[in-house]
Amino acid sequence: MTHSLSRTARSLAPAFLALALGVSSLPVAAADAGTAPISLQSTTAQPAVPGVNADLRLLHHTMLGVGGHPVPATTLLLTPKGTPPAGGWPIVAWEHGTTTPGQKTCAPSQTPELDGGLTRNGFKSDYAWQIGQFTDAGYAVVAPDLEGLGPDASTPYPYYSLSSLARSLIAGVVAARAAESRLSDRWAVVGHSDGGHGVLGVEPLAGEAAGLTFVGTVASAPYVAIEAHAARFGADGKAASNEAAAHQGLMMQQFQGALMATGLKVTQPSFEEASVMGPDLAATLPRFRSLCSVAAIGTIDAAVKAKGKAFKGLKADWASQPQMHAFLAANDPAVTPGYTLHQPVLIVQGNADPFVLETLQTQFADKLTADGVPLTYKVYDGADHFSIIRRADADVLDFLRRQFAR
């Protein structure tokens, strides 16, 4: 389904994020009254990435954290080789998917594939390939590690926090503009999986600052409709005709709840895991949170295998627990009351994706369309959670070209 595209919106200031939460603990230089600092601390040259023809730097800066205070953050800046076009290189702010539930070292800047260990551990992400496509097309790429991840992180990773994911991108773009004068004032966002979820939160926060032109959003297999995913995986497991499929469904159901409980616990330390899950799943969480994604999934997989149908995991009403219900309502665009977007959006989804299910993604896309969102939604036959990146590449590049040309 394709829908008409709307006008551009103003979003970012070139050096500072507007103060939305009353932060004033750091000095503000050359900022308007009422702004909070995103301060570029330093830059570090990074080694070349095979297949990516770009200059690579790691930016050390601050961002507005979920606690309402500036926190340390790191962002990769990749600029094409050679001379920029008139007006500078347009900016693609790119956000990675789930590389970990909570381990700060599982960050793009800490791995040569720019994917926090996904490829190294068995999930070929194609993240570096996609970034190379963008730089080859003449875009500068801003790729944040995310709040709580990366070498400078000093606070926990607030997994699935939509505002944190969005502000990680915003802060990265602001820091990049401070570090590199040859960047354009026009920018778009692209994200995959949980990064696809994260980019869906950028436009609503664009009014925090002014000065740059936000031109659109690309979400690849965005991780939304969490409660519905957990329910579907659980139902599929119960209906499975063989033991392997039954185990897979149960394990994936538990994985959804473990991720959400991890994110909620960071933003609300008073949250008790026992209110939404049994002791077997709760026992996996300390180790689960300390690992990169593939090993973290393996922890739950092993625990479910050990107990089988006797596994005491998510409670039937887990998503109705008041804190969890509020967390999902605030952070999952599929269920957030009144959620909408006004700038052009492209969502791409594979129908062979075992992690983000096409049927649920299509329901989300239909809801956005019904609400008047200027959405282009494309489903790719046979594409899975990672192959969608290459399958949709031409459509993503075409969408970006058209938005930057407006």
Side-chain angles (χ1 to χ4, degrees):
M1 61 192 75
T2 304
H3 306 270
S4 61
L5 303 180
S6 60
R7 295 186 300 271
T8 59
R10 299 288 173 180
S11 57
L12 292 178
F16 296 96
L17 176 65
L19 178 58
L21 298 176
V23 179
S24 59
S25 58
L26 294 182
V28 177
D32 295 332
T35 60
I38 292 175
S39 176
L40 177 66
Q41 307 294 316
S42 63
T43 65
T44 305
Q46 294 285 98
V49 175
V52 180
N53 186 31
D55 294 316
L56 181 59
R57 285 171 278 177
L58 184 63
L59 312 180
H60 305 263
H61 59 92
T62 57
M63 65 169 286
L64 186 62
V66 292
H69 305 285
V71 297
T74 43
T75 294
L76 289 166
L77 171 61
L78 299 96
T79 49
K81 302 283 188 180
T83 304
W89 290 299
I91 301 167
V92 170
W94 175 91
E95 194 152 87
H96 63 85
T98 301
T99 61
T100 179
Q103 172 53 251
K104 64 178 281 185
T105 61
C106 307
S109 74
Q110 303 302 290
T111 52
E113 300 87 1
L114 307 182
D115 67 0
L118 290 172
T119 297
R120 176 188 62 208
N121 294 324
F123 286 166
K124 189 179 187 313
S125 72
D126 271 333
Y127 284 175
W129 181 87
Q130 184 177 49
I131 289 171
Q133 294 294 105
F134 294 148
T135 57
D136 285 349
Y139 303 128
V141 176
V142 170
D145 283 332
L146 303 180
E147 178 182 356
L149 301 183
D152 297 354
S154 61
T155 54
Y157 174 33
Y159 185 81
Y160 209 70
S161 168
L162 194 59
S163 65
S164 174
L165 291 166
R167 287 189 170 112
S168 292
L169 284 165
I170 291 168
V173 170
V174 170
R177 291 268 297 171
E180 174 56 75
S181 63
R182 297 175 296 170
L183 301 186
S184 169
D185 61 1
R186 297 172 65 78
W187 70 299
V189 290
V190 178
H192 173 253
S193 193
D194 190 43
H197 154 249
V199 298
L200 294 173
V202 172
E203 186 194 309
L205 293 178
E208 291 187 347
L212 304 186
T213 300
F214 177 71
V215 303
T217 299
V218 178
S220 177
Y223 183 38
V224 298
I226 305 303
E227 181 181 3
H229 270 89
R232 180 67 59 83
F233 286 130
D236 288 349
K238 289 180 180 179
S241 59
N242 63 77
E243 185 176 341
H247 165 77
Q248 181 70 10
L250 177 59
M251 186 276 292
M252 286 297 295
Q253 180 186 40
Q254 306 310 307
F255 183 50
Q256 315 307 304
L259 286 172
M260 295 306 111
T262 294
L264 175 53
K265 186 71 173 178
V266 171
T267 56
Q268 296 186 44
S270 65
F271 169 68
E272 296 290 343
E273 291 97 339
S275 65
V276 300
M277 65 182 65
D280 293 335
L281 183 58
T284 70
L285 293 185
R287 179 162 173 75
F288 175 76
R289 292 165 175 156
S290 71
L291 299 169
C292 294
S293 289
V294 178
I297 295 172
T299 297
I300 294 178
D301 184 68
V304 172
K305 279 182 179 175
K307 293 290 184 75
K309 292 181 179 180
F311 183 84
K312 293 183 172 61
L314 283 180
K315 296 181 179 180
D317 62 348
W318 72 278
S320 299
Q321 192 269 2
Q323 288 171 294
M324 181 62 73
H325 178 78
F327 178 77
L328 293 174
N331 296 293
D332 184 346
V335 298
T336 299
Y339 175 82
T340 192
L341 296 170
H342 303 285
Q343 298 305 305
V345 183
L346 171 66
I347 294 179
V348 296
Q349 175 68 43
N351 66 6
D353 191 329
F355 295 105
V356 176
L357 304 179
E358 178 267 320
T359 54
L360 297 178
Q361 193 75 265
T362 298
Q363 290 175 18
F364 174 57
D366 287 346
K367 179 179 182 295
L368 293 180
T369 300
D371 291 341
V373 173
L375 171 67
T376 301
Y377 176 56
K378 296 193 174 185
V379 174
Y380 299 78
D381 188 40
D384 62 26
H385 196 58
F386 291 106
S387 65
I388 186 64
I389 291 174
R390 288 191 187 238
R391 285 288 302 279
D393 179 63
D395 291 324
V396 169
L397 289 174
D398 180 64
F399 176 86
L400 292 172
R401 178 188 57 76
R402 288 187 286 110
Q403 305 325 311
F404 281 121
R406 289 187 295 140

